[in-house]
Amino acid sequence: HSMLVSALFNAVDLREAVLRHTDLTFAVLNGAELTNADLSSALLSQTVIARCPSLATARGLDSLELLTASSIDLDTLRHALDHLPDELLAKLGADGEQLAALRALGSSASR
């Protein structure tokens, strides 16, 4: 178990990083490359995920633990929406209606 509380990850390469069971409370992932990063059972609490289009390729997203509200930006959502579990998105503050609207925008843009 690692503690990266209040860590600031600006434009870092975390490809294949093992962040399993890591406490990411108050952490900011801004432009982080997350391809194949292992986030299994990582703890998010007031964590910010921004400009991380590769989030969808990270492993263990279905087991992330969210204690309190965290944030994900629209750019990351656009890239990852079809790959992130609805339960995770709900915990990140997106309600069903918002998710449906974003998915509709995405599918109409790909036509």
Side-chain angles (χ1 to χ4, degrees):
H1 301 281
S2 300
M3 290 191 67
L4 294 172
V5 175
S6 298
L8 182 59
F9 296 103
N10 278 325
V12 296
D13 187 348
L14 295 174
R15 275 181 280 212
E16 304 203 21
V18 178
L19 299 171
R20 189 177 317 125
H21 298 286
T22 299
D23 186 348
L24 294 169
T25 298
F26 296 116
V28 175
L29 288 88
N30 178 30
E33 172 58 58
L34 297 168
T35 301
N36 290 320
D38 186 356
L39 296 171
S40 300
S41 300
L43 174 66
L44 304 184
S45 181
Q46 298 186 38
T47 304
V48 176
I49 302 169
R51 296 178 37 246
C52 297
S54 61
L55 175 65
T57 66
R59 294 176 284 132
L61 296 175
D62 57 338
S63 67
L64 283 171
E65 297 181 41
L66 280 85
L67 288 185
T68 59
S70 292
S71 300
I72 186 168
D73 77 314
L74 191 55
D75 184 55
T76 302
L77 265 179
R78 276 191 206 114
H79 287 92
L81 187 61
D82 292 333
H83 306 283
L84 299 176
D86 283 352
E87 299 78 29
L88 172 62
L89 294 169
K91 289 178 181 176
L92 289 168
D95 65 31
E97 204 171 289
Q98 292 168 329
L99 292 174
L102 286 169
R103 286 190 173 112
L105 284 173
S107 65
S108 66
S110 62
R111 290 183 203 161

